[in-house]
Amino acid sequence: MIVWGSRWRVRPRFFVFLALIIGLGASLFMASRSSRNHSPIALSSKKPAQSLIVRCHTIPSAFSLPQPLGNLQTLSVDNTLIAAGIISRHQPVQGLSVSITPQGLVQGPSPALLPGGSLILAQSMSWWSGGVKGKTVQRSALNLESNRSYTNFLPAPLSHSAVTLSSSGTNLFLLGGASQKGVSHRIYEMRESSGSFHLWGSLPKAVESPAAASGKGFLVVAGGVLPQGGFNSDIWIYRLSSHHLLTTLHLPYGIAGSRIVYTQHHFWLLGGEKSPGHLLSSIWLITPSRLRKTPVHLPVPLAHFGAGVLNHKIWIVGGTTNHGPTAIIRTLVLNIATYSQRRHAK
């Protein structure tokens, strides 16, 4: 029976014990907050997602290039792949331009093109810009439709730069390349409607002939030739909205002559060479946090080829094989599924 008004005597050692319990709890709470607030989490430290299964299906096209081309530039525009390059071992130097759709190929003009030039789309027209004339790097451009030449087209004299269109097709990026003063680290952006360039950002290293692609709000740049002549093993991923370098991934070796395509929400690094003449058939999957070498390959080791996406298929055009330049055109379909999705499908 409880009697109201009765006194309950608490011994002093109870307060000492209570104070110890409160102090210990506060210490643990502060330690957990400190660990959450001050432990950095790197992109590369994230646990990998479920195992991915990559499937590759390659189909030779029913048509081919009119001439073998071993150093091609391509742009995908409105379900058309525009390609231009220089006919190998042809003197004087002669170029070739074509338009490729899933239904066939139409040969365009074959003007004299400067070696090391870049294919650019400006004001809905194709231009072969920059390159080397004699020993001088140029900033002029040749209109492939009218065969008219324009001086001071590029923001600076450049050769062997990378070019990629934004996914919307309204912006174009011109990256790296060689200038009269050395190799460039600059990234220029051009509004397709105006044809005017402005400085967008810079690469961590000066590099010529890198591979580049944009999509999903990212700009990805890989490989290329460094000023000392070695091949670059870095892959740089930029966030387009901030112009900032998001992360750097590393290949196990330097690479040049490869191509990057963006299709079905993924970036793929295709082919290239790990040293002069050592051609690759490898296919890498690039994400903002990881680089994965897939178990599938190109049909043959290939470098300096054209690559673009039409109808969700990757088109591989020309390029250099172990037997020299080729005129073959292939389509490549890459599919990804997780291990859990495969089990569910069964």
Side-chain angles (χ1 to χ4, degrees):
M1 182 176 68
I2 299 176
V3 180
W4 295 103
S6 64
R7 294 182 180 179
W8 180 34
R9 185 177 179 183
V10 180
R11 298 180 181 274
R13 63 171 175 252
F14 174 78
F15 290 104
V16 176
F17 176 74
L18 184 62
L20 289 172
I21 292 297
I22 294 173
L24 180 61
S27 299
L28 291 174
F29 177 75
M30 293 303 294
S32 69
R33 282 183 59 87
S34 173
S35 121
R36 286 197 303 266
N37 291 338
H38 299 287
S39 295
I41 300 176
L43 284 172
S44 59
S45 69
K46 291 181 179 179
K47 292 182 179 179
Q50 294 167 306
S51 297
L52 297 179
I53 295 94
V54 180
R55 298 184 180 92
C56 179
H57 183 55
T58 305
I59 305 173
S61 173
F63 49 90
S64 60
L65 292 171
Q67 294 276 352
L69 294 177
N71 196 349
L72 271 168
Q73 302 280 332
T74 54
L75 291 172
S76 298
V77 184
D78 297 330
N79 207 33
T80 299
L81 188 62
I82 302 171
I86 294 173
I87 299 174
S88 301
R89 295 186 294 273
H90 190 284
Q91 295 297 330
V93 176
Q94 184 180 351
L96 176 68
S97 62
V98 297
S99 295
I100 300 170
T101 68
Q103 290 72 41
L105 177 150
V106 177
Q107 183 173 343
S110 300
L113 301 181
L114 296 180
S118 298
L119 180 63
I120 285 180
L121 185 75
Q123 298 178 326
S124 301
M125 293 182 288
S126 304
W127 307 75
W128 188 261
S129 60
V132 181
K133 185 177 183 180
K135 295 184 179 180
T136 306
V137 182
Q138 304 293 308
R139 64 184 300 181
S140 60
L142 180 70
N143 188 303
L144 296 182
E145 280 83 11
S146 67
N147 205 27
R148 293 181 60 186
S149 181
Y150 291 82
T151 59
N152 300 326
F153 182 87
L154 294 178
L158 287 170
S159 70
H160 300 94
S161 297
V163 174
T164 180
L165 280 169
S166 64
S167 54
S168 63
T170 57
N171 294 26
L172 178 143
F173 296 95
L174 180 72
L175 308 97
S179 68
Q180 208 66 38
K181 298 179 180 179
V183 182
S184 173
H185 65 273
R186 294 186 172 184
I187 303 174
Y188 294 99
E189 183 183 29
M190 184 200 74
R191 294 281 181 183
E192 195 277 329
S193 57
S194 65
S196 60
F197 289 88
H198 66 270
L199 186 63
W200 185 87
S202 63
L203 300 170
K205 299 177 185 176
V207 65
E208 58 179 300
S209 301
S214 63
K216 202 178 181 180
F218 298 102
L219 172 65
V220 179
V221 187
V225 183
L226 298 169
Q228 297 77 20
F231 290 176
N232 177 34
S233 61
D234 290 343
I235 297 177
W236 301 307
I237 302 178
Y238 291 81
R239 193 179 294 280
L240 290 176
S241 59
S242 65
H243 298 211
H244 291 159
L245 180 66
L246 178 65
T247 189
T248 299
L249 305 175
H250 302 284
L251 290 159
Y253 41 76
I255 196 170
S258 59
R259 296 293 183 257
I260 302 176
V261 294
Y262 176 76
T263 180
Q264 301 192 45
H265 312 295
H266 292 94
F267 288 95
W268 305 91
L269 177 66
L270 311 172
E273 53 184 349
K274 63 187 300 185
S275 62
H278 187 160
L279 303 182
L280 302 169
S281 62
S282 53
I283 298 177
W284 296 80
L285 173 63
I286 303 171
T287 72
S289 59
R290 288 199 70 185
L291 178 65
R292 300 188 186 197
K293 188 174 184 179
T294 70
V296 297
H297 295 82
L298 297 175
V300 296
L302 198 61
H304 308 289
F305 52 95
V309 178
L310 302 176
N311 288 347
H312 307 295
K313 296 179 181 179
I314 301 170
W315 287 68
I316 306 294
V317 182
T320 300
T321 70
N322 286 323
H323 303 289
T326 180
I328 295 175
I329 298 174
R330 297 180 175 90
T331 59
L332 187 71
V333 179
L334 293 170
N335 293 319
I336 291 182
T338 64
Y339 182 71
S340 59
Q341 286 173 340
R342 187 178 69 171
R343 290 185 62 187
H344 180 71
K346 290 181 179 181

